[in-house]
C-alpha cells in the first residue's frame, strides 16, 4: 500500500480528495497503486504525523494560513527526503512556483479546480517515479558495496532509511538515555534536550 498525506486548510477539499483517491483506481502502465490516505488541515499537525509515519507521496495546498505549501514541503523534505512531493493550488505565481521547485523539490504543480483523471494520473506517475528512484538507489548501493565503497552495515542502514525515514536516528537524553518516543512523554522536552539543541 502506498501512503499519501494530503494537507489543505479547506475541509471540503480534503473530503473531496480523499473520496476521489479511495474510489478512483491509481494506475500507471500495468502498475496499480493501492492507496492509504491521511488528511490534515493544519500543516504543523501533518509534520508531527510525518515524524512517526512514513509516506510515499505528499500533496499540499500552496496557500494556507500560518505556513504556505512551500514552507511545509521544505520542512517535510527534511523529515522524509525520498517522499514524492506535489502542490495543488488555485494560485500560480512565478515566485511561488520557483520556490516550490527549488526549495521544496516538488515534482508537479497541479491547479485547482482539478481534473480528476489528471490528478490521479499525476499521483500514479509520481509514485511510479519514486519507486524507480528508490530501486536505482538500492542498485547503486549494492554496486558500491561490491566495490568496497560502503560497508554491509551502511547498505542496511540505507535500506532501512528508505523504508522508514528516521528509523536509524538515535535521540539521546541529557543523561545518556535513549528517547524512544517523545510523544509518550507527559511534558515536552526542553529545547536543549532535543536533537541539535544546545
Amino acid at each position: 500500500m502506498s501512503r499519501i498525506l494530503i494537507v489543505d486548510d479547506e475541509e471540503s477539499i480534503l473530503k473531496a480528495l480523499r473520496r476521489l483517491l479511495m474510489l478512483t483506481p491509481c494506475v500507471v502502465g500495468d502498475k496499480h497503486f493501492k492507496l492509504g490516505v491521511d488528511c490534515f488541515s493544519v500543516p504543523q499537525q501533518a509534520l508531527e504525523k510525518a515524524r512517526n509515519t512514513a509516506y510515499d507521496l505528499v500533496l499540499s495546498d500552496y496557500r494556507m494560513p500560518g505556513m504556505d505549501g512551500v514552507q511545509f514541503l521544505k520542512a517535510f523534505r527534511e523529515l522524509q527526503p525520498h517522499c514524492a512531493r506535489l502542490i495543488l493550488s488555485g494560485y500560480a505565481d512565478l515566485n511561488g512556483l520557483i520556490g516550490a521547485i527549488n526549495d521544496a523539490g516538488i515534482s508537479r504543480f497541479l491547479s485547482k479546480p482539478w481534473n480528476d483523471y489528471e490528478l490521479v494520473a499525476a499521483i500514479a506517475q509520481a509514485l511510479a517515479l519514486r519507486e524507480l528512484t528508490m530501486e536505482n538507489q538500492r542498485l547503486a548501493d549494492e554496486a558500491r558495496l561490491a566495490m568496497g565503497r560502503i560497508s554491509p552495515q551502511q547498505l542496511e542502514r540505507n535500506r532501512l532509511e528508505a523504508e522508514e525515514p528516521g528509523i536509524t536516528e538515535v535521540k539521546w537524553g541529557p543523561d545518556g538515555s535513549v528517547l524512544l518516543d517523545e510523544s509518550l512523554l507527559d511534558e515536552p522536552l526542553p529545547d536543549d534536550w532535543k536533537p541539535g539543541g544546545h
Side-chain angles (χ1 to χ4, degrees):
M1 175 182 291
S2 299
R3 295 196 65 89
I4 294 182
L5 177 66
I6 302 175
V7 183
D8 195 305
D9 60 315
E10 296 181 55
E11 291 286 347
S12 60
I13 297 289
L14 291 175
K15 288 178 183 174
L17 288 171
R18 180 191 292 271
R19 186 171 48 249
L20 171 67
L21 295 177
M22 292 293 98
L23 297 176
T24 308
C26 188
V27 179
V28 60
D30 59 352
K31 177 76 178 179
H32 181 271
F33 294 96
K34 183 173 178 170
L35 305 178
V37 180
D38 291 333
C39 296
F40 287 88
S41 59
V42 178
Q44 291 84 356
Q45 291 175 355
L47 288 173
E48 278 305 309
K49 178 73 173 176
R51 291 183 201 287
N52 302 311
T53 304
Y55 289 98
D56 299 297
L57 183 142
V58 58
L59 174 65
S60 174
D61 188 14
Y62 175 62
R63 289 198 173 176
M64 298 182 287
M67 176 183 283
D68 70 29
V70 174
Q71 293 169 323
F72 167 72
L73 290 174
K74 190 175 174 185
F76 188 93
R77 183 183 191 182
E78 291 178 14
L79 294 173
Q80 300 191 26
H82 302 298
C83 182
R85 293 172 294 279
L86 309 176
I87 279 190
L88 180 66
S89 179
Y91 305 93
D93 65 80
L94 184 58
N95 288 335
L97 184 58
I98 290 171
I101 293 170
N102 294 341
D103 297 337
I106 66 162
S107 57
R108 292 284 296 265
F109 195 105
L110 303 163
S111 64
K112 287 181 185 174
W114 63 86
N115 173 294
D116 288 353
Y117 171 77
E118 289 177 6
L119 178 67
V120 176
I123 288 173
Q125 290 167 357
L127 289 171
L129 179 60
R130 180 188 179 276
E131 275 192 2
L132 183 61
T133 302
M134 299 302 288
E135 178 64 10
N136 285 342
Q137 181 65 46
R138 187 188 65 76
L139 293 172
D141 281 346
E142 286 184 3
R144 283 191 281 272
L145 176 66
M147 291 185 288
R149 293 186 179 169
I150 63 172
S151 66
Q153 293 81 10
Q154 183 63 45
L155 177 70
E156 183 61 12
R157 182 171 190 249
N158 292 351
R159 186 190 68 78
L160 290 170
E161 279 294 328
E163 290 181 8
E164 296 289 337
I167 195 170
T168 62
E169 292 178 17
V170 178
K171 297 177 183 173
W172 298 100
D175 59 354
S177 62
V178 176
L179 302 175
L180 296 179
D181 188 348
E182 214 175 301
S183 66
L184 298 177
L185 298 174
D186 294 332
E187 296 179 19
L189 288 173
D191 286 341
D192 60 341
W193 284 26
K194 293 182 178 179
H198 301 287

